[in-house]
Protein backbone atom coordinates (compact mmCIF):
# COMPACT_ATOMS: atom_id res chain seq x y z
CA UNK A 1 0.00 0.00 0.00
CA UNK A 2 1.62 3.21 -1.16
CA UNK A 3 0.98 6.35 0.83
CA UNK A 4 1.34 10.05 0.02
CA UNK A 5 1.22 12.83 2.61
CA UNK A 6 -0.13 16.35 2.16
CA UNK A 7 1.55 18.69 4.64
CA UNK A 8 4.54 18.22 6.88
CA UNK A 9 3.59 19.85 10.17
CA UNK A 10 3.71 18.27 13.64
CA UNK A 11 1.21 15.54 12.87
CA UNK A 12 2.83 14.38 9.61
CA UNK A 13 6.30 14.43 11.16
CA UNK A 14 5.05 12.53 14.22
CA UNK A 15 3.28 9.98 12.00
CA UNK A 16 6.44 9.16 10.04
CA UNK A 17 8.46 9.04 13.24
CA UNK A 18 5.96 6.73 14.97
CA UNK A 19 5.74 4.53 11.88
CA UNK A 20 9.52 4.18 11.91
CA UNK A 21 9.84 3.63 15.66
CA UNK A 22 7.04 1.04 15.79
CA UNK A 23 7.65 -0.50 12.37
CA UNK A 24 8.13 -4.07 13.64
CA UNK A 25 4.90 -3.92 15.58
CA UNK A 26 3.01 -2.29 12.72
CA UNK A 27 4.36 -4.86 10.24
CA UNK A 28 3.25 -7.66 12.54
CA UNK A 29 -0.34 -6.39 12.36
CA UNK A 30 -0.79 -6.53 8.60
CA UNK A 31 0.31 -8.62 5.68
CA UNK A 32 0.14 -5.60 3.38
CA UNK A 33 3.42 -3.72 3.18
CA UNK A 34 2.96 0.02 3.82
CA UNK A 35 5.30 2.44 2.10
CA UNK A 36 5.48 6.25 2.23
CA UNK A 37 6.32 7.36 -1.29
CA UNK A 38 5.59 11.11 -1.48
CA UNK A 39 5.33 14.13 0.78
CA UNK A 40 4.18 17.56 -0.38
CA UNK A 41 4.81 20.58 1.81
CA UNK A 42 5.20 24.33 1.31
CA UNK A 43 8.69 24.08 2.82
CA UNK A 44 10.29 20.84 1.58
CA UNK A 45 13.44 21.60 3.57
CA UNK A 46 11.47 20.80 6.79
CA UNK A 47 10.91 17.24 5.62
CA UNK A 48 14.35 16.52 4.15
CA UNK A 49 16.10 13.80 6.14
CA UNK A 50 12.94 13.11 8.16
CA UNK A 51 11.20 10.81 5.68
CA UNK A 52 11.98 7.19 4.80
CA UNK A 53 14.52 6.56 2.02
CA UNK A 54 12.91 6.66 -1.43
CA UNK A 55 10.12 9.00 -0.33
CA UNK A 56 9.98 12.00 -2.68
CA UNK A 57 9.55 15.41 -1.03
CA UNK A 58 8.30 18.39 -3.04
CA UNK A 59 6.06 21.44 -2.76
CA UNK A 60 3.58 20.06 -5.30
CA UNK A 61 0.37 18.85 -3.60
CA UNK A 62 -1.22 17.87 -6.89
CA UNK A 63 1.64 15.48 -7.61
CA UNK A 64 0.51 13.50 -4.55
CA UNK A 65 -3.19 13.27 -5.39
CA UNK A 66 -2.49 12.59 -9.06
CA UNK A 67 0.30 10.04 -8.59
CA UNK A 68 -1.09 6.77 -10.05
CA UNK A 69 1.04 4.60 -7.77
CA UNK A 70 -0.44 6.13 -4.56
CA UNK A 71 -3.29 4.20 -2.89
CA UNK A 72 -3.84 6.35 0.18
CA UNK A 73 -3.52 10.10 0.74
CA UNK A 74 -2.96 11.43 4.26
CA UNK A 75 -4.38 14.95 4.31
CA UNK A 76 -2.54 16.55 7.22
CA UNK A 77 -2.38 20.19 6.11
CA UNK A 78 -5.34 21.53 8.05
CA UNK A 79 -6.38 23.94 5.30
CA UNK A 80 -10.10 23.90 4.43
CA UNK A 81 -10.31 25.37 0.92
CA UNK A 82 -7.27 23.71 -0.62
CA UNK A 83 -7.87 20.62 1.53
CA UNK A 84 -11.33 20.20 0.00
CA UNK A 85 -10.01 20.46 -3.56
CA UNK A 86 -7.19 18.02 -2.93
CA UNK A 87 -9.35 15.47 -1.11
CA UNK A 88 -12.01 15.55 -3.83
CA UNK A 89 -9.33 15.10 -6.49
CA UNK A 90 -7.71 12.22 -4.58
CA UNK A 91 -11.11 10.48 -4.31
CA UNK A 92 -11.90 11.08 -7.96
CA UNK A 93 -8.56 9.39 -8.68
CA UNK A 94 -9.79 6.39 -6.60
CA UNK A 95 -7.49 6.99 -3.64
CA UNK A 96 -8.50 6.49 -0.04
CA UNK A 97 -8.12 9.47 2.24
CA UNK A 98 -7.14 9.69 5.88
CA UNK A 99 -7.51 13.11 7.45
CA UNK A 100 -7.36 14.81 10.84
CA UNK A 101 -9.00 17.93 9.43
CA UNK A 102 -12.23 18.36 11.40
CA UNK A 103 -12.99 21.82 9.97
CA UNK A 104 -12.82 20.41 6.44
CA UNK A 105 -15.11 17.48 7.24
CA UNK A 106 -17.56 19.53 9.30
CA UNK A 107 -17.96 22.05 6.49
CA UNK A 108 -17.67 19.84 3.40
CA UNK A 109 -18.14 16.34 4.79
CA UNK A 110 -21.35 15.52 2.94
CA UNK A 111 -19.84 16.37 -0.43
CA UNK A 112 -16.66 14.45 0.43
CA UNK A 113 -18.44 11.35 1.77
CA UNK A 114 -20.78 11.22 -1.22
CA UNK A 115 -17.84 11.44 -3.59
CA UNK A 116 -16.05 8.72 -1.60
CA UNK A 117 -19.08 6.43 -1.71
CA UNK A 118 -19.40 6.95 -5.46
CA UNK A 119 -15.69 6.26 -5.98
CA UNK A 120 -15.83 3.19 -3.69
CA UNK A 121 -13.14 4.77 -1.51
CA UNK A 122 -12.76 5.32 2.20
CA UNK A 123 -12.38 8.54 4.13
CA UNK A 124 -11.13 7.74 7.62
CA UNK A 125 -10.80 10.41 10.29
CA UNK A 126 -10.12 8.96 13.72
CA UNK A 127 -7.54 11.72 14.23
CA UNK A 128 -10.09 14.50 13.66
CA UNK A 129 -11.86 14.19 17.02
CA UNK A 130 -10.35 13.80 20.50
CA UNK A 131 -7.21 12.15 19.15
CA UNK A 132 -6.43 9.64 21.91
CA UNK A 133 -10.06 8.57 22.25
CA UNK A 134 -11.17 6.07 19.60
CA UNK A 135 -14.59 7.68 19.36
CA UNK A 136 -15.03 7.43 15.58
CA UNK A 137 -14.50 3.67 15.57
CA UNK A 138 -16.62 3.40 18.72
CA UNK A 139 -19.57 5.08 17.03
CA UNK A 140 -19.06 3.58 13.58
CA UNK A 141 -18.37 0.03 14.77
CA UNK A 142 -18.48 -0.84 18.46
CA UNK A 143 -21.74 0.97 19.23
CA UNK A 144 -23.23 0.52 15.76
CA UNK A 145 -26.23 -1.52 16.92
CA UNK A 146 -27.29 1.08 19.51
CA UNK A 147 -29.85 3.82 19.37
CA UNK A 148 -27.75 6.61 20.78
CA UNK A 149 -29.69 9.04 22.95
CA UNK A 150 -26.90 11.44 23.82
CA UNK A 151 -23.28 12.22 23.26
CA UNK A 152 -21.81 14.78 25.61
CA UNK A 153 -18.18 15.77 25.64
CA UNK A 154 -15.29 18.02 26.39
CA UNK A 155 -13.84 18.12 22.90
CA UNK A 156 -11.44 21.03 22.98
CA UNK A 157 -8.26 20.57 25.00
CA UNK A 158 -7.22 24.22 24.81
CA UNK A 159 -10.40 25.61 26.31
CA UNK A 160 -10.46 22.86 28.92
CA UNK A 161 -6.87 23.73 29.83
CA UNK A 162 -7.76 27.43 30.08
CA UNK A 163 -10.81 26.79 32.28
CA UNK A 164 -8.84 24.37 34.47
CA UNK A 165 -6.06 26.93 34.95
CA UNK A 166 -8.61 29.63 35.81
CA UNK A 167 -10.39 27.33 38.25
CA UNK A 168 -7.41 25.64 39.92
CA UNK A 169 -4.83 28.43 39.93
CA UNK A 170 -6.83 31.63 39.44
CA UNK A 171 -4.82 32.34 36.24
CA UNK A 172 -6.37 34.94 33.93
CA UNK A 173 -7.81 34.00 30.55
CA UNK A 174 -5.11 35.54 28.29
CA UNK A 175 -2.22 34.00 30.25
CA UNK A 176 -3.83 30.57 30.14
CA UNK A 177 -4.46 30.80 26.36
CA UNK A 178 -0.84 31.82 25.70
CA UNK A 179 0.31 28.90 27.84
CA UNK A 180 -1.92 26.45 25.90
CA UNK A 181 -0.45 27.78 22.64
CA UNK A 182 3.10 27.29 23.93
CA UNK A 183 2.25 23.74 24.94
CA UNK A 184 0.98 23.02 21.40
CA UNK A 185 -2.67 22.28 22.25
CA UNK A 186 -4.16 25.22 20.37
CA UNK A 187 -5.11 25.50 16.71
CA UNK A 188 -2.96 27.72 14.46
CA UNK A 189 -5.70 30.28 15.10
CA UNK A 190 -6.61 29.85 18.80
CA UNK A 191 -9.83 31.81 18.24
CA UNK A 192 -11.32 28.56 16.95
CA UNK A 193 -10.50 26.88 20.27
CA UNK A 194 -11.83 29.53 22.59
CA UNK A 195 -14.92 30.54 20.59
CA UNK A 196 -16.24 26.96 20.58
CA UNK A 197 -15.91 26.47 16.83
CA UNK A 198 -13.31 23.69 16.97
CA UNK A 199 -15.49 21.72 19.41
CA UNK A 200 -18.50 22.42 17.16
CA UNK A 201 -16.61 20.97 14.15
CA UNK A 202 -15.91 17.81 16.12
CA UNK A 203 -19.45 17.58 17.48
CA UNK A 204 -20.85 17.90 13.94
CA UNK A 205 -19.00 14.72 12.97
CA UNK A 206 -19.94 12.83 16.13
CA UNK A 207 -23.62 13.77 15.79
CA UNK A 208 -23.69 12.57 12.20
CA UNK A 209 -22.26 9.19 13.22
CA UNK A 210 -24.31 8.86 16.40
CA UNK A 211 -27.68 9.80 14.94
CA UNK A 212 -27.20 8.81 11.30
CA UNK A 213 -27.91 12.35 10.10
CA UNK A 214 -26.15 14.42 7.45
CA UNK A 215 -23.00 16.28 8.44
CA UNK A 216 -24.41 19.74 9.07
CA UNK A 217 -22.13 22.24 10.79
CA UNK A 218 -24.65 25.05 10.40
CA UNK A 219 -27.05 23.21 12.75
CA UNK A 220 -24.66 23.52 15.69
CA UNK A 221 -25.17 26.44 18.03
CA UNK A 222 -21.85 27.33 19.60
CA UNK A 223 -20.54 29.78 22.19
CA UNK A 224 -17.05 29.95 23.60
CA UNK A 225 -15.29 30.65 26.86
CA UNK A 226 -13.80 34.12 26.30
CA UNK A 227 -16.54 35.89 28.26
CA UNK A 228 -16.53 33.62 31.29
CA UNK A 229 -15.95 35.65 34.41
CA UNK A 230 -13.72 34.24 37.14
CA UNK A 231 -16.54 35.14 39.54
CA UNK A 232 -18.82 32.51 37.97
CA UNK A 233 -16.11 29.86 38.13
CA UNK A 234 -15.78 30.55 41.87
CA UNK A 235 -19.55 30.57 42.54
CA UNK A 236 -19.92 27.34 40.56
CA UNK A 237 -17.25 25.75 42.76
CA UNK A 238 -19.10 26.84 45.91
CA UNK A 239 -22.18 25.13 44.50
CA UNK A 240 -20.21 21.91 43.78
CA UNK A 241 -19.96 22.47 40.02
CA UNK A 242 -17.20 23.10 37.46
CA UNK A 243 -17.59 25.41 34.47
CA UNK A 244 -16.72 23.39 31.34
CA UNK A 245 -17.10 23.91 27.61
CA UNK A 246 -19.62 21.17 26.91
CA UNK A 247 -20.44 19.88 23.44
CA UNK A 248 -23.63 17.91 23.35
CA UNK A 249 -25.97 16.31 20.88
CA UNK A 250 -29.04 14.64 22.30
CA UNK A 251 -32.37 13.34 21.20
CA UNK A 252 -35.13 15.58 22.53
CA UNK A 253 -38.83 15.19 21.81
CA UNK A 254 -38.62 17.94 19.17
CA UNK A 255 -35.58 16.53 17.35
CA UNK A 256 -31.83 16.65 17.88
CA UNK A 257 -30.53 19.40 20.15
CA UNK A 258 -26.92 20.11 19.31
CA UNK A 259 -24.78 22.80 20.92
CA UNK A 260 -21.42 23.80 22.35
CA UNK A 261 -21.57 26.15 25.31
CA UNK A 262 -20.09 26.87 28.71
CA UNK A 263 -22.03 24.71 31.13
CA UNK A 264 -21.98 23.99 34.85
CA UNK A 265 -21.08 20.36 35.39
CA UNK A 266 -21.82 18.78 38.78
CA UNK A 267 -18.67 17.68 40.63
CA UNK A 268 -20.02 14.12 40.82
CA UNK A 269 -19.97 13.81 37.00
CA UNK A 270 -16.91 12.24 35.37
CA UNK A 271 -16.87 15.16 32.94
CA UNK A 272 -16.17 17.50 35.87
CA UNK A 273 -12.98 15.56 36.52
CA UNK A 274 -11.62 15.96 33.01
CA UNK A 275 -8.89 18.50 33.72
CA UNK A 276 -6.09 20.25 31.85
CA UNK A 277 -5.95 19.62 28.11
CA UNK A 278 -7.69 16.24 28.37
CA UNK A 279 -10.91 15.34 26.57
CA UNK A 280 -13.79 13.20 27.83
CA UNK A 281 -16.89 11.86 26.12
CA UNK A 282 -20.01 10.42 27.69
CA UNK A 283 -22.21 8.31 25.49
CA UNK A 284 -25.61 6.76 26.13
CA UNK A 285 -26.96 3.97 23.98
CA UNK A 286 -30.05 1.81 24.44
CA UNK A 287 -27.94 -1.36 24.52
CA UNK A 288 -24.63 -0.29 26.00
CA UNK A 289 -26.18 2.08 28.55
CA UNK A 290 -23.82 4.80 29.75
CA UNK A 291 -20.17 4.73 28.66
CA UNK A 292 -17.35 7.16 29.30
CA UNK A 293 -14.18 7.65 27.25
CA UNK A 294 -11.21 9.75 28.38
CA UNK A 295 -7.91 10.72 26.76
CA UNK A 296 -5.71 13.41 25.25
CA UNK A 297 -7.41 15.77 22.86
CA UNK A 298 -4.33 17.15 21.15
CA UNK A 299 -0.72 16.46 20.27
CA UNK A 300 1.21 15.28 17.22
CA UNK A 301 2.19 11.93 18.70
CA UNK A 302 -1.37 11.24 19.90
CA UNK A 303 -2.79 12.15 16.49
CA UNK A 304 -0.26 9.88 14.81
CA UNK A 305 -1.69 6.98 16.81
CA UNK A 306 -5.13 7.59 15.25
CA UNK A 307 -3.73 8.17 11.74
CA UNK A 308 -1.67 4.97 11.82
CA UNK A 309 -4.67 2.99 13.13
CA UNK A 310 -6.67 4.21 10.14
CA UNK A 311 -3.81 3.22 7.85
CA UNK A 312 -3.71 -0.27 9.35
CA UNK A 313 -7.47 -0.54 8.96
CA UNK A 314 -7.13 0.14 5.24
CA UNK A 315 -4.17 -2.22 4.94
CA UNK A 316 -6.19 -5.03 6.48
CA UNK A 317 -9.30 -4.60 4.40
CA UNK A 318 -8.73 -7.42 2.03
CA UNK A 319 -8.44 -5.70 -1.33
CA UNK A 320 -4.89 -4.92 -2.49
CA UNK A 321 -5.39 -1.19 -2.05
CA UNK A 322 -7.66 -1.22 0.98
CA UNK A 323 -11.01 -1.52 -0.80
CA UNK A 324 -14.07 -3.21 0.62
CA UNK A 325 -14.50 -1.57 3.99
CA UNK A 326 -18.15 -0.57 3.74
CA UNK A 327 -19.28 3.01 3.87
CA UNK A 328 -17.57 5.85 5.59
CA UNK A 329 -20.21 7.14 7.99
CA UNK A 330 -22.01 3.89 8.64
CA UNK A 331 -23.25 0.89 6.75
CA UNK A 332 -24.87 2.45 3.71
CA UNK A 333 -24.03 5.20 1.26
CA UNK A 334 -24.74 8.79 2.24
CA UNK A 335 -28.16 10.09 1.39
CA UNK A 336 -29.96 6.74 1.67
CA UNK A 337 -32.41 6.21 4.47
CA UNK A 338 -30.85 8.51 7.01
CA UNK A 339 -32.91 9.49 10.02
CA UNK A 340 -35.38 12.23 9.24
CA UNK A 341 -33.71 15.06 11.10
CA UNK A 342 -35.08 18.09 12.89
CA UNK A 343 -32.74 20.25 14.85
CA UNK A 344 -34.19 21.95 17.88
CA UNK A 345 -32.58 24.51 20.10
CA UNK A 346 -35.04 24.05 22.90
CA UNK A 347 -33.97 22.02 25.84
CA UNK A 348 -35.31 21.22 29.24
CA UNK A 349 -32.80 21.46 32.04
CA UNK A 350 -31.56 23.41 35.01
CA UNK A 351 -29.92 26.82 34.67
CA UNK A 352 -27.41 28.84 36.69
CA UNK A 353 -28.47 32.48 36.93
CA UNK A 354 -26.31 35.22 38.47
CA UNK A 355 -27.80 38.66 39.01
CA UNK A 356 -25.87 41.63 40.33
CA UNK A 357 -28.33 43.47 42.56
CA UNK A 358 -28.42 46.61 44.64
CA UNK A 359 -27.80 45.31 48.14
CA UNK A 360 -31.00 46.62 49.69
CA UNK A 361 -34.31 45.46 51.13
CA UNK A 362 -36.71 43.91 48.64
CA UNK A 363 -34.09 43.08 45.94
CA UNK A 364 -34.32 39.33 46.51
CA UNK A 365 -38.11 39.51 46.77
CA UNK A 366 -38.31 41.07 43.30
CA UNK A 367 -36.25 38.25 41.81
CA UNK A 368 -38.22 35.53 43.56
CA UNK A 369 -41.46 37.08 42.27
CA UNK A 370 -40.14 36.91 38.70
CA UNK A 371 -39.20 33.26 39.20
CA UNK A 372 -42.53 32.40 40.83
CA UNK A 373 -44.49 34.17 38.06
CA UNK A 374 -42.59 32.11 35.47
CA UNK A 375 -43.31 28.94 37.44
CA UNK A 376 -39.57 28.39 37.99
CA UNK A 377 -38.61 26.46 41.09
CA UNK A 378 -35.29 27.16 42.85
CA UNK A 379 -32.88 24.30 43.55
CA UNK A 380 -30.00 26.25 45.18
CA UNK A 381 -29.58 29.84 46.20
CA UNK A 382 -26.47 31.76 47.19
CA UNK A 383 -25.81 35.41 47.92
CA UNK A 384 -22.36 36.87 48.47
CA UNK A 385 -21.48 39.51 51.04
CA UNK A 386 -21.59 42.33 48.52
CA UNK A 387 -19.27 45.23 47.88
CA UNK A 388 -19.92 48.90 47.07
CA UNK A 389 -23.65 48.46 47.66
CA UNK A 390 -23.90 45.64 45.12
CA UNK A 391 -24.32 41.96 45.73
CA UNK A 392 -24.39 38.85 43.51
CA UNK A 393 -27.38 36.57 43.83
CA UNK A 394 -26.96 33.10 42.36
CA UNK A 395 -29.84 30.79 41.62
CA UNK A 396 -29.71 27.25 40.28
CA UNK A 397 -33.15 26.36 39.03
CA UNK A 398 -34.88 23.02 38.85
CA UNK A 399 -35.52 21.85 35.27
CA UNK A 400 -37.21 24.46 33.09
CA UNK A 401 -37.62 24.86 29.34
CA UNK A 402 -35.53 27.23 27.22
CA UNK A 403 -38.83 28.95 26.38
CA UNK A 404 -39.55 29.64 30.05
CA UNK A 405 -36.05 31.07 30.41
CA UNK A 406 -36.44 33.27 27.32
CA UNK A 407 -39.79 34.63 28.52
CA UNK A 408 -38.48 35.38 31.99
CA UNK A 409 -35.23 37.05 30.90
CA UNK A 410 -36.48 40.65 30.41
CA UNK A 411 -38.14 40.53 33.84
CA UNK A 412 -34.94 39.23 35.45
CA UNK A 413 -33.03 42.08 33.84
CA UNK A 414 -35.63 44.50 35.16
CA UNK A 415 -35.37 43.04 38.67
CA UNK A 416 -31.57 43.33 38.56
CA UNK A 417 -31.84 46.97 37.54
CA UNK A 418 -30.57 48.87 34.47
CA UNK A 419 -27.00 48.01 33.45
CA UNK A 420 -26.68 45.28 36.09
CA UNK A 421 -25.23 41.95 35.07
CA UNK A 422 -27.40 38.91 34.42
CA UNK A 423 -25.34 35.82 33.57
CA UNK A 424 -26.96 32.53 32.57
CA UNK A 425 -25.41 29.12 31.95
CA UNK A 426 -27.06 25.73 31.51
CA UNK A 427 -26.39 23.11 34.15
CA UNK A 428 -25.65 19.59 32.93
CA UNK A 429 -28.24 17.06 34.03
CA UNK A 430 -27.69 13.38 34.63
CA UNK A 431 -25.82 11.86 31.70
CA UNK A 432 -25.19 8.52 33.32
CA UNK A 433 -21.48 9.13 33.91
N1 LIG B 1 -6.80 22.52 19.18
C1 LIG B 1 -7.45 21.31 19.51
C2 LIG B 1 -7.76 21.32 21.00
C3 LIG B 1 -6.61 20.08 19.25
O1 LIG B 1 -7.29 22.19 21.73
O2 LIG B 1 -8.47 20.43 21.43
C4 LIG B 1 -6.77 19.51 17.90
O3 LIG B 1 -8.09 19.17 17.64
Amino acid sequence: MKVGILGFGNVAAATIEAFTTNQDLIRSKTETPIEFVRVATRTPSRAQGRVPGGCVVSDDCWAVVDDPQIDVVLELMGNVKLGRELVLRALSNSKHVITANKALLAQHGEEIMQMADQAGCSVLFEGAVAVSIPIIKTLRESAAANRISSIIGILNGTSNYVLSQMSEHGVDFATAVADAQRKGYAEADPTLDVNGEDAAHKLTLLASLAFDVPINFSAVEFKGIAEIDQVDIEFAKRLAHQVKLIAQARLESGGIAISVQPTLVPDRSMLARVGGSMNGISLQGDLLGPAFLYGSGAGGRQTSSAVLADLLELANRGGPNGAGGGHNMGFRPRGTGQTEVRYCNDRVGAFYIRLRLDDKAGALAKVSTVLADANVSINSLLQDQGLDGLSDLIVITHDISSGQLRDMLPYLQQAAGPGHTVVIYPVLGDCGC
Side-chain angles (χ1 to χ4, degrees):
M1 174 177 278
K2 298 205 172 10
V3 183
I5 306 186
L6 298 168
F8 202 79
N10 287 344
V11 174
T15 299
I16 299 254
E17 194 187 317
F19 182 79
T20 311
T21 310
N22 287 0
Q23 56 183 303
D24 292 347
L25 180 127
I26 291 169
R27 280 208 194 104
S28 75
K29 302 221 167 164
T30 179
E31 293 188 352
T32 306
I34 299 172
E35 195 186 340
F36 289 92
V37 295
R38 261 187 196 280
V39 170
T41 164
R42 266 184 310 193
T43 41
S45 56
R46 285 196 66 188
Q48 297 297 356
R50 299 168 75 190
V51 296
C55 178
V56 177
V57 179
S58 79
D59 63 359
D60 186 356
C61 299
W62 301 100
V64 174
V65 293
D66 286 337
D67 184 339
Q69 67 165 334
I70 287 179
D71 302 300
V72 183
V73 171
L74 306 190
E75 188 284 300
L76 302 174
M77 303 181 308
N79 177 305
V80 172
K81 189 168 176 292
L82 181 59
R84 171 183 166 272
E85 288 167 17
L86 289 163
V87 163
L88 290 175
R89 176 91 143 246
L91 293 169
S92 73
N93 285 335
S94 300
K95 299 180 194 317
H96 303 293
V97 172
I98 294 172
T99 179
N101 192 338
K102 58 261 162 177
L104 168 67
L105 293 179
Q107 289 168 39
H108 302 290
E110 274 307 299
E111 181 187 21
I112 288 170
M113 296 305 171
Q114 281 180 23
M115 164 77 101
D117 283 340
Q118 277 163 20
C121 291
S122 291
V123 178
L124 299 181
F125 52 98
E126 190 66 70
V129 181
V131 285
S132 292
I133 301 177
I135 186 63
I136 305 301
K137 286 187 181 29
T138 297
L139 288 171
R140 203 159 54 89
E141 297 166 19
S142 318
N146 281 255
R147 285 181 201 287
I148 304 291
S149 52
S150 70
I151 179 152
I152 304 176
I154 293 172
L155 300 180
N156 184 268
T158 300
S159 47
N160 201 49
Y161 179 81
V162 169
L163 291 175
S164 300
Q165 290 292 100
M166 289 172 78
S167 172
E168 288 161 27
H169 308 292
V171 171
D172 70 57
F173 176 79
T175 309
V177 173
D179 199 13
Q181 277 181 288
R182 262 195 309 277
K183 293 198 154 108
Y185 308 142
E187 297 298 297
D189 174 4
T191 320
L192 299 185
D193 294 297
V194 297
N195 75 1
E197 195 169 338
D198 175 74
H201 287 148
K202 294 166 181 167
L203 182 64
T204 303
L205 302 176
L206 298 187
S208 177
L209 286 164
F211 298 110
D212 193 17
V213 297
I215 301 169
N216 183 1
F217 177 58
S218 64
V220 186
E221 236 184 50
F222 66 89
K223 187 167 189 280
I225 62 166
E227 284 160 24
I228 295 175
D229 195 320
Q230 186 78 38
V231 163
D232 293 301
I233 292 177
E234 294 307 320
F235 280 129
K237 275 169 34 185
R238 283 167 64 183
L239 291 162
H241 286 72
Q242 301 295 320
V243 180
K244 295 285 188 189
L245 186 66
I246 293 293
Q248 58 176 314
R250 56 162 80 234
L251 278 183
E252 299 280 349
S253 55
I256 296 171
I258 173 162
S259 65
V260 174
Q261 55 190 326
T263 300
L264 264 72
V265 179
D267 283 346
R268 65 174 184 279
S269 160
M270 294 180 86
L271 283 163
R273 284 174 249 157
V274 176
S277 64
M278 301 303 278
N279 283 188
I281 301 173
S282 156
L283 188 66
Q284 293 229 53
D286 60 344
L287 307 179
L288 59 81
F292 190 79
L293 298 94
Y294 171 87
S296 296
R301 197 173 163 77
Q302 291 82 347
T303 312
S304 78
S305 162
V307 170
L308 289 172
D310 281 345
L311 206 48
L312 271 170
E313 182 183 331
L314 287 177
N316 284 327
R317 271 191 186 171
N321 69 347
H327 299 289
N328 294 298
M329 300 294 288
F331 293 101
R332 58 187 172 218
R334 296 309 277 172
T336 56
Q338 283 156 0
T339 309
E340 186 64 30
V341 59
R342 275 191 54 212
Y343 293 102
C344 65
N345 296 328
D346 282 336
R347 67 186 292 275
V348 171
F351 286 88
Y352 162 100
I353 303 171
R354 173 168 66 88
L355 301 109
R356 187 151 285 178
L357 304 172
D358 289 322
D359 196 1
K360 62 183 189 196
L364 171 59
K366 273 195 209 163
V367 176
S368 65
T369 304
V370 171
L371 295 171
D373 288 351
N375 200 22
V376 172
S377 166
I378 296 172
N379 189 358
S380 324
L381 189 69
L382 182 71
Q383 187 175 3
D384 74 347
Q385 286 179 331
L387 204 62
D388 301 332
L390 293 171
S391 173
D392 279 319
L393 177 73
I394 291 91
V395 172
I396 293 191
T397 69
H398 280 293
D399 284 358
I400 60 173
S401 69
S402 314
Q404 262 175 300
L405 181 73
R406 257 194 314 272
D407 292 347
M408 163 173 86
L409 199 53
Y411 301 102
L412 282 175
Q413 186 65 67
Q414 222 169 38
H420 285 192
T421 312
V422 178
V423 174
I424 298 178
Y425 292 122
V427 178
L428 190 67
D430 184 18
C431 61
C433 298

